[in-house]
Amino acid sequence: MLDDILRAYTEAIYNADRTTALAVVDAARASGVSPEDIVFKVVIPGLDMMIKAINDGFDTNLAQHFMTAHIAADVTDRMLAQFARPPEMVGHVVIGTAAGDLHTLGKRIVMGCLKAQMIDAIDLGVNVPAERFVDEAVARGASVIAVSAMMVHTARGENGAIKVRQLLRERQLEGRIRLVVGGAPFRYDPRLYQIVGADAWADNGVSAARVILDFIKEARS
Amino acid sequence: MITGMDRLAAAARGEILDRIPVFCNLVDQGARELGMPLETYFSRGEYVAEAQLRMLGKYGHDNVWSLFYVGREAELLGCRKIKYANDGPPNVEDFVIKSYADIERLEVPDDISTHPAFAETAHCLEILKREVGGKAPICAYLTASMSLPAILMSMEKWIELLMLGPTEMRDLLLEKCSAFFQKEIEAYRKAGADVLVYADPYGSTDIVPMSMFRELSLPWMKRDLAAGGLDGVVYYVGGARVNGVLDQVIEEVGFGTYYPGPMDDIGESMRLVADRALCGAVINDIRLIDWTPEEVRAEVKRLVQRGLKISKKLFFGTILMPFGIPDANIRAMIDAACEFGRPDRLEA
């Protein structure tokens, strides 16, 4: 039965169809599927299938990514309220836009997907100084700093990811905290993440959550 | 002497005079040209015009721009706060629309040509028209109704409204943005712009699903352009891809010129356009920052020759070129486009 639910949910998120996705979830709950199974056996595998589709060249778009994250976060919120016991968080990440950058869409997509993965995403907002990224990561025990940049000069700027890397090095935190970047400029130059000193990048917000999750798992192992 | 305007007119007819037109979107670079901070540079129309003229002489491309920065359109609709940078384009810092009530309150100016926020643009156009009018195509940047809300309320809030509603607020905003577009294109034409770049990233299926493209992007395109017509209007989707919708836009709207994104395959774009319009071979200008001049030359050659093999209705173009592109690469790009944009340089 869960296979059918997953298939129907995944089809709904491909179609950016929130109404149908929520109806699938409601019907599953009514038929006795637990809220834990909805999150761990439907929502999270649904995200994985979307990532696979993107990687396999399925032609997705920004609106689909937005809706995938929005639906995942929405369903997760509703299910968490019904969990038998609060789930253990997988890990912590601090996320924000680079110094000088005011674009929030990418960050929102990443955060929606992280929520479903049980990752505590601490939103530092927009135009975040490099020092704050590092200070907050240390204070919150985050194993990943995620820097979003929509413009070339904020992606490459010396006060953005480049400075975060410099601070991690100076404070000898490179072994503990990974730096992940994302945003339009990185899509147009896949080598750019290395130029700015990041450990990894993602082509889109949905895939970024997977990259962050992998680093968190690595830190826990 | 052959001018940029002559080259453009010939290309639209499917002819090449000496070479294809080379369109270069040098905007922020003007500040460097005049040796002043970007905020100072964008404060006066005469600065922008002077820099455009200097760069035209220096690099030898074909067009000039009246664009200051994209947020200028938000200023015409009431934005009071722009965030300037030292090394990149200014951004809207205070969004005009913070709540749905602001959509209801949004007022479209009656006459943009006399609006105080248009005065410096008009002054820039006046100088450009006086100095190079009729010789170099004078470009203007106008955002489509479907894409303008992104700079009025943020990309995040616009996509949220598009995807989640309420639809009556979405439609009211689109109505107002379309009314603004129609007045804006009238003002730009009156002020002397000849190439009107219709900027519509939300007219790409990289951004919205095909169903939404058909239900919203396409109808609003038609509505934006119904009154003023298509004379000199170029379909442009920024860095997004256009090939997936190109045939529909040609069939249903019929722009005279198409500006594919750098991720589009130019060969495919030219095949889809199939001589029904002029089409651009557009370089990934973010890579121009780190490529060597030799790599720039090779990429320009590849793009131009791939396009020319299919049709002569071709021009070379860039997106909005990042401030950090080295001067040597700007020169290498334009020189290569001029050199390889000729039928006699076409290699088998």
Side-chain angles (χ1 to χ4, degrees), chain A residues 13 25 37 53 60 75 86 92 98 110 119 133 141 156 166-167 180 185 189 191 206-211:
Chain A
I13 63 170
V25 169
D37 276 355
T60 62
V75 172
H92 309 277
V110 178
I119 295 169
F133 273 115
R156 302 179 65 111
Q166 182 194 330
L167 292 171
V180 176
D189 185 353
R191 297 175 311 180
V206 182
S207 305
R210 165 57 65 182
V211 171

Side-chain angles (χ1 to χ4, degrees), chain A residues 100-207:
Chain A
D101 204 301
L102 308 173
H103 297 84
T104 53
L105 178 57
K107 177 168 70 69
R108 175 160 166 185
I109 294 171
V110 178
M111 288 183 66
C113 297
L114 289 173
K115 173 175 277 190
Q117 308 270 13
M118 302 299 142
I119 295 169
D120 175 29
I122 299 136
D123 184 6
L124 303 182
V126 298
N127 189 20
V128 181
E131 291 82 359
R132 185 153 176 251
F133 273 115
V134 178
D135 291 346
E136 291 284 351
V138 171
R140 310 289 190 108
S143 43
V144 176
I145 293 173
V147 180
S148 171
M150 183 69 180
M151 298 181 297
V152 173
H153 70 284
T154 57
R156 302 179 65 111
E158 54 191 33
N159 292 317
I162 287 174
K163 191 161 182 187
V164 173
R165 167 57 65 201
Q166 182 194 330
L167 292 171
L168 289 174
R169 190 176 302 127
E170 285 171 6
R171 298 185 196 176
Q172 298 183 321
L173 293 166
E174 288 180 300
R176 271 173 50 196
I177 300 173
R178 296 290 199 165
L179 174 59
V180 176
V181 292
F186 299 98
R187 299 187 69 210
Y188 291 95
D189 185 353
R191 297 175 311 180
L192 184 54
Y193 83 98
Q194 293 170 318
I195 293 170
V196 303
D199 293 301
W201 76 290
D203 174 70
N204 60 81
V206 182
S207 305

Side-chain angles (χ1 to χ4, degrees), chain B residues 93-114:
Chain B
E93 185 163 6
D94 187 33
F95 290 108
V96 175
I97 299 169
K98 299 184 187 71
S99 69
Y100 293 150
D102 289 335
I103 295 176
E104 290 172 330
R105 282 192 286 265
L106 185 69
E107 283 187 24
V108 176
D110 279 339
D111 183 357
I112 287 172
S113 65
T114 57

Side-chain angles (χ1 to χ4, degrees), chain B residues 319-332:
Chain B
I319 307 296
L320 292 175
M321 297 169 66
F323 188 75
I325 299 171
D327 193 65
N329 283 359
I330 298 174
R331 287 181 188 278

Side-chain angles (χ1 to χ4, degrees), chain A residues 62-63 104 108 151 156 188, chain B residues 91 156 160 206 239 284 290:
Chain A
L62 188 61
T104 53
R108 175 160 166 185
M151 298 181 297
R156 302 179 65 111
Y188 291 95
Chain B
N91 261 262
E156 178 192 347
E160 182 181 284
D206 277 356
N284 179 350
D290 296 309

